[in-house]
Amino acid sequence: MAVDLERDGAARSRTGERPPLWRPLAGGALAVAALPLLVVLPEVGLPVVFVALRLLASRFAWAARVDAALRRATARVRKRFAAMPRPLRTAVVAGATAAFAAVLWGTVSAAV
């Protein structure tokens, strides 16, 4: 499957120039910083990884392909979630909130 790099986080800007060097450097630094977060608090680490991937996608085609695949998967999940009956959506959100609170409680309790 071909990825339209111009639409999905191109390796070049609209003017045809390469993006500033700080973007891939910041993306790499965020990716490295997210690794411990993924182990301790995946709920916090995953968004950091997604931001890092988006920054890397401005310079690298492989990151643009991965970013595009993640965006397609996210769109599918949103569509399925929107198609759920309201009580089921409420239960899913309540369960996810309870799981996040339990992980956060366990992490804070272990640190004290």
Side-chain angles (χ1 to χ4, degrees), residues 8 10 22 30 33 36 60 69 73 80 84-86 91 108:
D8 291 325
W22 68 266
L30 277 175
F60 302 108
R80 287 185 64 190
M84 288 180 182
R86 187 177 195 101
V108 170

Side-chain angles (χ1 to χ4, degrees), residues 7 13 32 35 37 53-54 63 68 108 110:
R7 188 191 75 212
S13 67
V32 169
L35 291 176
L37 283 175
L53 190 60
R54 191 66 180 156
V108 170

Side-chain angles (χ1 to χ4, degrees), residues 39-79:
V39 174
V40 178
L41 286 173
E43 303 85 9
V44 177
L46 282 176
V48 175
V49 169
F50 295 150
V51 170
L53 190 60
R54 191 66 180 156
L55 288 170
L56 288 170
S58 69
R59 184 82 158 204
F60 302 108
W62 65 266
R65 287 191 299 272
V66 173
D67 185 53
L70 284 173
R71 288 179 179 275
R72 285 191 301 273
T74 303
R76 284 193 307 267
V77 169
R78 283 183 175 175
K79 187 175 179 180

